[in-house]
Amino acid sequence: MSAQILDGKATAAAIKSELTSRVAALKERGITPGLGTLLVGDDPGSRWYVNGKHKDCAEVGITSIRRELPATASQEEIEAVVRELNDNPECTGYIVQLPLPKGIDTNRVLELMDPAKDADGLHPTSLGRLVLGVEGPLPCTPYGIVELLRHHGVEINGAHVVVLGRGITVGRSIGLLLTRKSENATVTLCHTGTRDLAGLLRQADIVVAAAGVPHLVKPGDVKPGAAVLDVGVSRDENGKIVGDVHPGVAEVAGWISPNPGGVGPMTRAQLLVNVVEAAERTGSAG
Ligand SMILES: Nc1nc2c(c(=O)[nH]1)N[C@@H](CN(C=O)c1ccc(C(=O)N[C@@H](CCC(=O)O)C(=O)O)cc1)CN2
């Protein structure tokens, strides 16, 4: 392995340590941030992620509010919990864990959320703010990727970033972050309809692989010295994570994020950042 590691675990730990003092300062001013989660169904991965979010909250002093519904829950039952979280004064921000079960209109659920309580940056108002360059919560995984690169001193300014995957949590939104003046990257978004994917990948200074296709990015697809972020999560027959990036890429890349231990912990940390920033905004309003 020649690539240097983009260590998400260590970076997330540093972010959480800084947040602990910010939460304490908020509490001194009478503001207690509270993160709500809504988990629908019994997908073990989603449950693990939600448990992790509440463990993080306990670590930094944020109050946890958990709501769960069975996989058979109707659109109306889910929307009733969203309304309750909108009205719950203890809950200063919340997330609806995705994906929701088949048959549920996810966009309708997200649109029903109070945008002032969107901790995930995935509400249409938050995404619209990002397009307009107005302050608001940023989508956690893209935000985590930017912070992971910054923390390790990887140059984003002027970089050509090739993104694989057009899902809402990563692929669609990361270009909006990276092309802001503050990041100043050039972004190519690739998907299943992209021609000559390998040719585009070889031009990239930074690759963000979020397609959910095991080992899609091969060593020959990567420019020597490039930074490669492995976001995709597939599982082998033993339940072990298989990322989108072939292990041999570590011999060619300059930087690589492990999976697990790279972007996942950063996603969790940036969720806490969104909750704390929202509480700080409330505290400074008026
Ligand atoms: N409402 C949302 N739903 C989903 C999001 C999101 O940002 N908002 N992203 C993903 C899941 N996710 C957070 O919810 C998430 C994914 C991975 C990790 C993580 O820490 N992973 C570990 C490995 C865990 C394992 O072994 O399975 C790691 O990478 O080290 C945290 C959060 C989809 N849904």
Side-chain angles (χ1 to χ4, degrees):
M1 146 114 51
S2 59
Q4 297 187 67
I5 296 295
L6 295 164
D7 188 342
K9 260 193 188 170
T11 311
I15 292 171
K16 283 192 278 184
S17 154
E18 196 243 334
L19 287 176
T20 305
S21 19
R22 284 166 68 182
V23 171
L26 279 164
K27 286 183 178 172
E28 272 174 24
R29 291 162 54 203
I31 301 165
T32 302
L35 173 70
T37 59
L38 170 55
L39 173 64
V40 186
D42 39 28
D43 175 69
S46 291
R47 181 169 295 280
W48 191 92
Y49 299 143
V50 168
N51 287 344
K53 289 171 187 184
H54 291 290
K55 194 173 140 277
D56 293 340
C57 282
E59 249 181 74
V60 303
I62 294 175
T63 303
S64 275
I65 300 129
R66 294 182 79 128
R67 299 290 180 262
E68 284 191 24
L69 288 171
T72 51
S74 65
Q75 183 84 30
E76 291 67 30
E77 285 168 320
I78 295 171
E79 290 181 7
V81 176
V82 168
R83 285 196 186 89
E84 184 264 318
L85 289 169
N86 284 346
D87 294 340
N88 184 338
E90 262 193 34
C91 170
T92 58
Y94 70 98
I95 63 117
V96 175
Q97 188 64 34
L98 301 176
L100 288 170
K102 282 204 175 69
I104 299 298
D105 184 338
T106 300
N107 288 342
R108 239 178 72 184
V109 173
L110 292 179
E111 281 184 42
L112 192 65
M113 293 173 74
D114 176 352
K117 290 193 175 187
D118 174 24
D120 236 351
L122 298 177
H123 187 282
T125 299
S126 308
L127 291 170
R129 284 202 171 118
L130 182 53
V131 171
L132 294 172
V134 175
E135 195 187 11
L138 298 173
C140 300
T141 304
Y143 191 9
I145 289 171
V146 169
E147 289 302 312
L148 188 59
L149 290 167
R150 274 198 196 132
H151 186 88
H152 290 84
V154 177
E155 182 80 282
I156 301 176
N157 189 352
H160 181 196
V161 184
V162 173
V163 180
L164 306 185
R166 55 183 151 189
I168 188 63
T169 53
V170 192
R172 277 242 176 265
S173 48
I174 195 167
L176 296 171
L177 256 87
L178 288 169
T179 53
R180 295 183 304 183
K181 281 229 170 91
S182 48
E183 278 72 26
N184 217 26
T186 299
V187 177
T188 303
L189 176 59
C190 302
H191 44 75
T192 45
T194 300
R195 293 195 198 122
D196 190 21
L197 183 58
L200 286 166
L201 280 170
R202 278 194 288 270
Q203 292 173 32
D205 303 305
I206 300 173
V207 174
V208 177
V213 179
H215 296 175
L216 176 65
V217 181
K218 309 271 190 295
D221 300 336
V222 173
K223 181 162 87 176
V228 180
L229 293 117
D230 190 357
V231 189
V233 176
S234 307
R235 305 257 169 199
D236 69 11
E237 58 287 357
N238 302 311
K240 196 170 160 257
I241 289 184
V242 184
D244 282 8
V245 177
H246 188 283
V249 169
E251 302 304 324
V252 185
W255 292 96
I256 196 154
S257 73
N259 189 2
V263 174
M266 292 301 293
T267 299
R268 277 166 54 176
Q270 294 309 146
L271 173 66
L272 302 180
V273 171
N274 280 346
V275 175
V276 172
E277 282 180 351
E280 288 171 344
R281 275 197 290 272
T282 319
S284 60

